Amino acid sequence: MSVFVYQTFIIKQDQFKEGIDNLREIKKLRNENYNHKVEILTPVSGDDYTYALLSTYEGLAEMELQSKKMFEDEEYLELIGPFFLEHVAEGSMHTQIYRSLGEVKMAKKEEKK
């Protein structure tokens, strides 16, 4: 069952270009070096400068394992630290975790009838 981590945050306007460049580097590093997929979501409607990361993992255990690996990686820490300290508005980060809903097998549905 897939797990999705949806993190929204506001990029400081005076740090916008640097923030986006840093965010792209984080995405590239995570997609190339860890067992999950990361997408950067840009606003089409709603609050300007509110961006999101959508990370997809194979399950909760995989999410925990990849998180542990990332926070033990100096290269990742060198990217993520400045991103959140310098480019993201304080108090604007919001993280939600979702999992996919499993499919119901047709045979089980027919048995209940």
PDB file of all heavy atoms in Angstrom, residues 2-30:
ATOM      1  N   SER A   2       0.727   2.090  -0.977  1.00  0.00           N
ATOM      2  CA  SER A   2       1.558   3.281  -1.104  1.00  0.00           C
ATOM      3  C   SER A   2       1.253   4.300  -0.009  1.00  0.00           C
ATOM      4  O   SER A   2       0.133   4.399   0.471  1.00  0.00           O
ATOM      5  CB  SER A   2       1.336   3.951  -2.461  1.00  0.00           C
ATOM      6  OG  SER A   2       1.780   3.108  -3.498  1.00  0.00           O
ATOM      7  N   VAL A   3       2.307   5.048   0.351  1.00  0.00           N
ATOM      8  CA  VAL A   3       2.183   6.130   1.326  1.00  0.00           C
ATOM      9  C   VAL A   3       2.615   7.411   0.624  1.00  0.00           C
ATOM     10  O   VAL A   3       3.631   7.448  -0.067  1.00  0.00           O
ATOM     11  CB  VAL A   3       3.059   5.863   2.570  1.00  0.00           C
ATOM     12  CG1 VAL A   3       3.126   7.085   3.468  1.00  0.00           C
ATOM     13  CG2 VAL A   3       2.532   4.660   3.334  1.00  0.00           C
ATOM     14  N   PHE A   4       1.826   8.472   0.823  1.00  0.00           N
ATOM     15  CA  PHE A   4       2.096   9.762   0.206  1.00  0.00           C
ATOM     16  C   PHE A   4       2.318  10.793   1.308  1.00  0.00           C
ATOM     17  O   PHE A   4       1.494  10.910   2.217  1.00  0.00           O
ATOM     18  CB  PHE A   4       0.909  10.203  -0.661  1.00  0.00           C
ATOM     19  CG  PHE A   4       0.542   9.194  -1.709  1.00  0.00           C
ATOM     20  CD1 PHE A   4      -0.399   8.210  -1.443  1.00  0.00           C
ATOM     21  CD2 PHE A   4       1.156   9.218  -2.950  1.00  0.00           C
ATOM     22  CE1 PHE A   4      -0.732   7.266  -2.398  1.00  0.00           C
ATOM     23  CE2 PHE A   4       0.833   8.286  -3.920  1.00  0.00           C
ATOM     24  CZ  PHE A   4      -0.106   7.301  -3.639  1.00  0.00           C
ATOM     25  N   VAL A   5       3.417  11.519   1.216  1.00  0.00           N
ATOM     26  CA  VAL A   5       3.696  12.597   2.166  1.00  0.00           C
ATOM     27  C   VAL A   5       3.564  13.906   1.402  1.00  0.00           C
ATOM     28  O   VAL A   5       4.261  14.135   0.415  1.00  0.00           O
ATOM     29  CB  VAL A   5       5.097  12.455   2.792  1.00  0.00           C
ATOM     30  CG1 VAL A   5       5.373  13.611   3.745  1.00  0.00           C
ATOM     31  CG2 VAL A   5       5.243  11.113   3.506  1.00  0.00           C
ATOM     32  N   TYR A   6       2.654  14.749   1.874  1.00  0.00           N
ATOM     33  CA  TYR A   6       2.327  16.013   1.227  1.00  0.00           C
ATOM     34  C   TYR A   6       2.736  17.137   2.172  1.00  0.00           C
ATOM     35  O   TYR A   6       2.160  17.291   3.254  1.00  0.00           O
ATOM     36  CB  TYR A   6       0.820  16.033   0.937  1.00  0.00           C
ATOM     37  CG  TYR A   6       0.295  17.279   0.296  1.00  0.00           C
ATOM     38  CD1 TYR A   6       0.623  17.604  -1.012  1.00  0.00           C
ATOM     39  CD2 TYR A   6      -0.562  18.125   0.991  1.00  0.00           C
ATOM     40  CE1 TYR A   6       0.117  18.752  -1.616  1.00  0.00           C
ATOM     41  CE2 TYR A   6      -1.082  19.273   0.396  1.00  0.00           C
ATOM     42  CZ  TYR A   6      -0.731  19.572  -0.894  1.00  0.00           C
ATOM     43  OH  TYR A   6      -1.230  20.703  -1.488  1.00  0.00           O
ATOM     44  N   GLN A   7       3.775  17.879   1.783  1.00  0.00           N
ATOM     45  CA  GLN A   7       4.294  18.962   2.614  1.00  0.00           C
ATOM     46  C   GLN A   7       4.123  20.288   1.889  1.00  0.00           C
ATOM     47  O   GLN A   7       4.651  20.466   0.792  1.00  0.00           O
ATOM     48  CB  GLN A   7       5.779  18.769   2.899  1.00  0.00           C
ATOM     49  CG  GLN A   7       6.088  17.542   3.716  1.00  0.00           C
ATOM     50  CD  GLN A   7       7.578  17.395   3.935  1.00  0.00           C
ATOM     51  OE1 GLN A   7       8.319  17.261   2.972  1.00  0.00           O
ATOM     52  NE2 GLN A   7       7.993  17.420   5.178  1.00  0.00           N
ATOM     53  N   THR A   8       3.403  21.215   2.511  1.00  0.00           N
ATOM     54  CA  THR A   8       3.253  22.547   1.931  1.00  0.00           C
ATOM     55  C   THR A   8       4.064  23.539   2.754  1.00  0.00           C
ATOM     56  O   THR A   8       4.280  23.346   3.944  1.00  0.00           O
ATOM     57  CB  THR A   8       1.782  22.984   1.899  1.00  0.00           C
ATOM     58  OG1 THR A   8       1.261  22.983   3.222  1.00  0.00           O
ATOM     59  CG2 THR A   8       0.957  22.082   1.004  1.00  0.00           C
ATOM     60  N   PHE A   9       4.497  24.591   2.094  1.00  0.00           N
ATOM     61  CA  PHE A   9       5.300  25.621   2.745  1.00  0.00           C
ATOM     62  C   PHE A   9       5.291  26.860   1.869  1.00  0.00           C
ATOM     63  O   PHE A   9       5.016  26.790   0.670  1.00  0.00           O
ATOM     64  CB  PHE A   9       6.741  25.149   2.967  1.00  0.00           C
ATOM     65  CG  PHE A   9       7.321  24.453   1.776  1.00  0.00           C
ATOM     66  CD1 PHE A   9       7.927  25.171   0.759  1.00  0.00           C
ATOM     67  CD2 PHE A   9       7.225  23.070   1.646  1.00  0.00           C
ATOM     68  CE1 PHE A   9       8.438  24.527  -0.364  1.00  0.00           C
ATOM     69  CE2 PHE A   9       7.739  22.424   0.537  1.00  0.00           C
ATOM     70  CZ  PHE A   9       8.350  23.147  -0.470  1.00  0.00           C
ATOM     71  N   ILE A  10       5.601  27.996   2.472  1.00  0.00           N
ATOM     72  CA  ILE A  10       5.678  29.264   1.749  1.00  0.00           C
ATOM     73  C   ILE A  10       7.148  29.607   1.544  1.00  0.00           C
ATOM     74  O   ILE A  10       7.919  29.637   2.504  1.00  0.00           O
ATOM     75  CB  ILE A  10       4.974  30.392   2.521  1.00  0.00           C
ATOM     76  CG1 ILE A  10       3.481  30.087   2.627  1.00  0.00           C
ATOM     77  CG2 ILE A  10       5.219  31.748   1.849  1.00  0.00           C
ATOM     78  CD1 ILE A  10       2.724  31.028   3.538  1.00  0.00           C
ATOM     79  N   ILE A  11       7.510  29.844   0.305  1.00  0.00           N
ATOM     80  CA  ILE A  11       8.880  30.272   0.001  1.00  0.00           C
ATOM     81  C   ILE A  11       8.928  31.799   0.155  1.00  0.00           C
ATOM     82  O   ILE A  11       8.075  32.511  -0.374  1.00  0.00           O
ATOM     83  CB  ILE A  11       9.295  29.848  -1.421  1.00  0.00           C
ATOM     84  CG1 ILE A  11       9.332  28.321  -1.504  1.00  0.00           C
ATOM     85  CG2 ILE A  11      10.652  30.444  -1.778  1.00  0.00           C
ATOM     86  CD1 ILE A  11       9.702  27.777  -2.856  1.00  0.00           C
ATOM     87  N   LYS A  12       9.913  32.260   0.907  1.00  0.00           N
ATOM     88  CA  LYS A  12      10.059  33.706   1.126  1.00  0.00           C
ATOM     89  C   LYS A  12      10.243  34.416  -0.215  1.00  0.00           C
ATOM     90  O   LYS A  12      11.029  33.975  -1.063  1.00  0.00           O
ATOM     91  CB  LYS A  12      11.273  33.984   2.003  1.00  0.00           C
ATOM     92  CG  LYS A  12      11.141  33.465   3.410  1.00  0.00           C
ATOM     93  CD  LYS A  12      12.428  33.739   4.189  1.00  0.00           C
ATOM     94  CE  LYS A  12      12.378  33.154   5.560  1.00  0.00           C
ATOM     95  NZ  LYS A  12      13.669  33.332   6.283  1.00  0.00           N
ATOM     96  N   GLN A  13       9.535  35.509  -0.402  1.00  0.00           N
ATOM     97  CA  GLN A  13       9.580  36.232  -1.666  1.00  0.00           C
ATOM     98  C   GLN A  13      10.962  36.787  -1.962  1.00  0.00           C
ATOM     99  O   GLN A  13      11.408  36.777  -3.107  1.00  0.00           O
ATOM    100  CB  GLN A  13       8.552  37.356  -1.677  1.00  0.00           C
ATOM    101  CG  GLN A  13       7.137  36.819  -1.694  1.00  0.00           C
ATOM    102  CD  GLN A  13       6.100  37.922  -1.740  1.00  0.00           C
ATOM    103  OE1 GLN A  13       6.346  38.988  -2.274  1.00  0.00           O
ATOM    104  NE2 GLN A  13       4.932  37.651  -1.200  1.00  0.00           N
ATOM    105  N   ASP A  14      11.665  37.250  -0.929  1.00  0.00           N
ATOM    106  CA  ASP A  14      12.994  37.808  -1.162  1.00  0.00           C
ATOM    107  C   ASP A  14      14.055  36.736  -1.385  1.00  0.00           C
ATOM    108  O   ASP A  14      15.191  37.042  -1.729  1.00  0.00           O
ATOM    109  CB  ASP A  14      13.408  38.741  -0.018  1.00  0.00           C
ATOM    110  CG  ASP A  14      13.553  38.026   1.309  1.00  0.00           C
ATOM    111  OD1 ASP A  14      12.936  36.949   1.491  1.00  0.00           O
ATOM    112  OD2 ASP A  14      14.277  38.545   2.180  1.00  0.00           O
ATOM    113  N   GLN A  15      13.684  35.473  -1.209  1.00  0.00           N
ATOM    114  CA  GLN A  15      14.587  34.344  -1.418  1.00  0.00           C
ATOM    115  C   GLN A  15      14.035  33.397  -2.488  1.00  0.00           C
ATOM    116  O   GLN A  15      14.424  32.233  -2.549  1.00  0.00           O
ATOM    117  CB  GLN A  15      14.748  33.563  -0.105  1.00  0.00           C
ATOM    118  CG  GLN A  15      15.443  34.302   1.000  1.00  0.00           C
ATOM    119  CD  GLN A  15      16.929  34.344   0.751  1.00  0.00           C
ATOM    120  OE1 GLN A  15      17.533  33.350   0.364  1.00  0.00           O
ATOM    121  NE2 GLN A  15      17.525  35.504   0.951  1.00  0.00           N
ATOM    122  N   PHE A  16      13.138  33.881  -3.314  1.00  0.00           N
ATOM    123  CA  PHE A  16      12.384  33.002  -4.215  1.00  0.00           C
ATOM    124  C   PHE A  16      13.276  32.217  -5.176  1.00  0.00           C
ATOM    125  O   PHE A  16      13.201  30.985  -5.231  1.00  0.00           O
ATOM    126  CB  PHE A  16      11.339  33.804  -4.997  1.00  0.00           C
ATOM    127  CG  PHE A  16      10.446  32.926  -5.810  1.00  0.00           C
ATOM    128  CD1 PHE A  16       9.467  32.172  -5.196  1.00  0.00           C
ATOM    129  CD2 PHE A  16      10.604  32.834  -7.179  1.00  0.00           C
ATOM    130  CE1 PHE A  16       8.647  31.327  -5.941  1.00  0.00           C
ATOM    131  CE2 PHE A  16       9.786  32.002  -7.926  1.00  0.00           C
ATOM    132  CZ  PHE A  16       8.807  31.247  -7.306  1.00  0.00           C
ATOM    133  N   LYS A  17      14.121  32.882  -5.942  1.00  0.00           N
ATOM    134  CA  LYS A  17      14.959  32.181  -6.922  1.00  0.00           C
ATOM    135  C   LYS A  17      15.867  31.171  -6.238  1.00  0.00           C
ATOM    136  O   LYS A  17      15.966  30.015  -6.660  1.00  0.00           O
ATOM    137  CB  LYS A  17      15.791  33.161  -7.742  1.00  0.00           C
ATOM    138  CG  LYS A  17      16.642  32.452  -8.799  1.00  0.00           C
ATOM    139  CD  LYS A  17      17.600  33.385  -9.483  1.00  0.00           C
ATOM    140  CE  LYS A  17      18.489  32.732 -10.504  1.00  0.00           C
ATOM    141  NZ  LYS A  17      18.930  31.391 -10.280  1.00  0.00           N
ATOM    142  N   GLU A  18      16.514  31.586  -5.160  1.00  0.00           N
ATOM    143  CA  GLU A  18      17.409  30.693  -4.431  1.00  0.00           C
ATOM    144  C   GLU A  18      16.637  29.522  -3.829  1.00  0.00           C
ATOM    145  O   GLU A  18      17.111  28.388  -3.823  1.00  0.00           O
ATOM    146  CB  GLU A  18      18.144  31.454  -3.315  1.00  0.00           C
ATOM    147  CG  GLU A  18      19.048  32.548  -3.810  1.00  0.00           C
ATOM    148  CD  GLU A  18      18.339  33.892  -4.036  1.00  0.00           C
ATOM    149  OE1 GLU A  18      17.092  33.971  -3.943  1.00  0.00           O
ATOM    150  OE2 GLU A  18      19.055  34.868  -4.323  1.00  0.00           O
ATOM    151  N   GLY A  19      15.436  29.799  -3.331  1.00  0.00           N
ATOM    152  CA  GLY A  19      14.605  28.747  -2.746  1.00  0.00           C
ATOM    153  C   GLY A  19      14.196  27.697  -3.767  1.00  0.00           C
ATOM    154  O   GLY A  19      14.262  26.499  -3.504  1.00  0.00           O
ATOM    155  N   ILE A  20      13.779  28.147  -4.937  1.00  0.00           N
ATOM    156  CA  ILE A  20      13.380  27.214  -5.997  1.00  0.00           C
ATOM    157  C   ILE A  20      14.582  26.404  -6.482  1.00  0.00           C
ATOM    158  O   ILE A  20      14.481  25.183  -6.678  1.00  0.00           O
ATOM    159  CB  ILE A  20      12.702  27.964  -7.172  1.00  0.00           C
ATOM    160  CG1 ILE A  20      11.361  28.540  -6.729  1.00  0.00           C
ATOM    161  CG2 ILE A  20      12.542  27.061  -8.393  1.00  0.00           C
ATOM    162  CD1 ILE A  20      10.315  27.513  -6.351  1.00  0.00           C
ATOM    163  N   ASP A  21      15.727  27.049  -6.650  1.00  0.00           N
ATOM    164  CA  ASP A  21      16.938  26.325  -7.062  1.00  0.00           C
ATOM    165  C   ASP A  21      17.304  25.263  -6.034  1.00  0.00           C
ATOM    166  O   ASP A  21      17.635  24.123  -6.388  1.00  0.00           O
ATOM    167  CB  ASP A  21      18.115  27.291  -7.252  1.00  0.00           C
ATOM    168  CG  ASP A  21      17.946  28.194  -8.465  1.00  0.00           C
ATOM    169  OD1 ASP A  21      17.091  27.897  -9.329  1.00  0.00           O
ATOM    170  OD2 ASP A  21      18.686  29.210  -8.546  1.00  0.00           O
ATOM    171  N   ASN A  22      17.238  25.626  -4.756  1.00  0.00           N
ATOM    172  CA  ASN A  22      17.556  24.685  -3.675  1.00  0.00           C
ATOM    173  C   ASN A  22      16.559  23.524  -3.663  1.00  0.00           C
ATOM    174  O   ASN A  22      16.934  22.360  -3.510  1.00  0.00           O
ATOM    175  CB  ASN A  22      17.557  25.433  -2.351  1.00  0.00           C
ATOM    176  CG  ASN A  22      18.113  24.657  -1.185  1.00  0.00           C
ATOM    177  OD1 ASN A  22      17.610  24.772  -0.084  1.00  0.00           O
ATOM    178  ND2 ASN A  22      19.140  23.875  -1.394  1.00  0.00           N
ATOM    179  N   LEU A  23      15.283  23.849  -3.861  1.00  0.00           N
ATOM    180  CA  LEU A  23      14.233  22.834  -3.883  1.00  0.00           C
ATOM    181  C   LEU A  23      14.455  21.841  -5.019  1.00  0.00           C
ATOM    182  O   LEU A  23      14.292  20.625  -4.846  1.00  0.00           O
ATOM    183  CB  LEU A  23      12.877  23.524  -4.016  1.00  0.00           C
ATOM    184  CG  LEU A  23      11.631  22.689  -3.810  1.00  0.00           C
ATOM    185  CD1 LEU A  23      11.652  21.983  -2.466  1.00  0.00           C
ATOM    186  CD2 LEU A  23      10.395  23.576  -3.933  1.00  0.00           C
ATOM    187  N   ARG A  24      14.856  22.337  -6.169  1.00  0.00           N
ATOM    188  CA  ARG A  24      15.144  21.443  -7.305  1.00  0.00           C
ATOM    189  C   ARG A  24      16.318  20.512  -7.001  1.00  0.00           C
ATOM    190  O   ARG A  24      16.316  19.341  -7.392  1.00  0.00           O
ATOM    191  CB  ARG A  24      15.428  22.265  -8.556  1.00  0.00           C
ATOM    192  CG  ARG A  24      14.188  22.863  -9.160  1.00  0.00           C
ATOM    193  CD  ARG A  24      14.502  23.627 -10.431  1.00  0.00           C
ATOM    194  NE  ARG A  24      13.276  24.012 -11.102  1.00  0.00           N
ATOM    195  CZ  ARG A  24      13.057  25.204 -11.619  1.00  0.00           C
ATOM    196  NH1 ARG A  24      13.992  26.147 -11.560  1.00  0.00           N
ATOM    197  NH2 ARG A  24      11.926  25.474 -12.216  1.00  0.00           N
ATOM    198  N   GLU A  25      17.321  21.014  -6.314  1.00  0.00           N
ATOM    199  CA  GLU A  25      18.466  20.177  -5.933  1.00  0.00           C
ATOM    200  C   GLU A  25      18.053  19.090  -4.940  1.00  0.00           C
ATOM    201  O   GLU A  25      18.506  17.955  -5.025  1.00  0.00           O
ATOM    202  CB  GLU A  25      19.590  21.036  -5.347  1.00  0.00           C
ATOM    203  CG  GLU A  25      20.324  21.857  -6.373  1.00  0.00           C
ATOM    204  CD  GLU A  25      21.030  21.000  -7.421  1.00  0.00           C
ATOM    205  OE1 GLU A  25      21.689  20.016  -7.056  1.00  0.00           O
ATOM    206  OE2 GLU A  25      20.913  21.327  -8.620  1.00  0.00           O
ATOM    207  N   ILE A  26      17.188  19.451  -4.006  1.00  0.00           N
ATOM    208  CA  ILE A  26      16.678  18.468  -3.039  1.00  0.00           C
ATOM    209  C   ILE A  26      15.912  17.371  -3.764  1.00  0.00           C
ATOM    210  O   ILE A  26      16.108  16.178  -3.517  1.00  0.00           O
ATOM    211  CB  ILE A  26      15.786  19.162  -1.983  1.00  0.00           C
ATOM    212  CG1 ILE A  26      16.635  20.058  -1.087  1.00  0.00           C
ATOM    213  CG2 ILE A  26      15.013  18.139  -1.163  1.00  0.00           C
ATOM    214  CD1 ILE A  26      15.837  21.012  -0.212  1.00  0.00           C
ATOM    215  N   LYS A  27      15.033  17.760  -4.678  1.00  0.00           N
ATOM    216  CA  LYS A  27      14.258  16.783  -5.456  1.00  0.00           C
ATOM    217  C   LYS A  27      15.193  15.849  -6.228  1.00  0.00           C
ATOM    218  O   LYS A  27      15.029  14.627  -6.196  1.00  0.00           O
ATOM    219  CB  LYS A  27      13.318  17.502  -6.431  1.00  0.00           C
ATOM    220  CG  LYS A  27      12.596  16.549  -7.363  1.00  0.00           C
ATOM    221  CD  LYS A  27      11.815  17.281  -8.443  1.00  0.00           C
ATOM    222  CE  LYS A  27      11.295  16.274  -9.456  1.00  0.00           C
ATOM    223  NZ  LYS A  27      10.627  16.906 -10.566  1.00  0.00           N
ATOM    224  N   LYS A  28      16.170  16.422  -6.909  1.00  0.00           N
ATOM    225  CA  LYS A  28      17.102  15.628  -7.709  1.00  0.00           C
ATOM    226  C   LYS A  28      17.862  14.626  -6.832  1.00  0.00           C
ATOM    227  O   LYS A  28      17.938  13.442  -7.156  1.00  0.00           O
ATOM    228  CB  LYS A  28      18.088  16.559  -8.421  1.00  0.00           C
ATOM    229  CG  LYS A  28      19.094  15.845  -9.277  1.00  0.00           C
ATOM    230  CD  LYS A  28      20.043  16.825  -9.948  1.00  0.00           C
ATOM    231  CE  LYS A  28      21.095  16.055 -10.720  1.00  0.00           C
ATOM    232  NZ  LYS A  28      22.189  16.894 -11.145  1.00  0.00           N
ATOM    233  N   LEU A  29      18.387  15.088  -5.712  1.00  0.00           N
ATOM    234  CA  LEU A  29      19.136  14.208  -4.809  1.00  0.00           C
ATOM    235  C   LEU A  29      18.264  13.074  -4.286  1.00  0.00           C
ATOM    236  O   LEU A  29      18.666  11.911  -4.293  1.00  0.00           O
ATOM    237  CB  LEU A  29      19.712  15.018  -3.641  1.00  0.00           C
ATOM    238  CG  LEU A  29      20.478  14.202  -2.606  1.00  0.00           C
ATOM    239  CD1 LEU A  29      21.842  13.802  -3.165  1.00  0.00           C
ATOM    240  CD2 LEU A  29      20.653  14.987  -1.324  1.00  0.00           C
ATOM    241  N   ARG A  30      17.061  13.404  -3.852  1.00  0.00           N
ATOM    242  CA  ARG A  30      16.179  12.381  -3.288  1.00  0.00           C
ATOM    243  C   ARG A  30      15.753  11.364  -4.348  1.00  0.00           C
ATOM    244  O   ARG A  30      15.751  10.158  -4.089  1.00  0.00           O
ATOM    245  CB  ARG A  30      14.961  13.032  -2.642  1.00  0.00           C
ATOM    246  CG  ARG A  30      15.327  13.732  -1.337  1.00  0.00           C
ATOM    247  CD  ARG A  30      14.168  14.426  -0.712  1.00  0.00           C
ATOM    248  NE  ARG A  30      13.109  13.499  -0.307  1.00  0.00           N
ATOM    249  CZ  ARG A  30      12.030  13.877   0.340  1.00  0.00           C
ATOM    250  NH1 ARG A  30      11.844  15.147   0.657  1.00  0.00           N
ATOM    251  NH2 ARG A  30      11.105  12.989   0.662  1.00  0.00           N
TER     252      ARG A  30
END
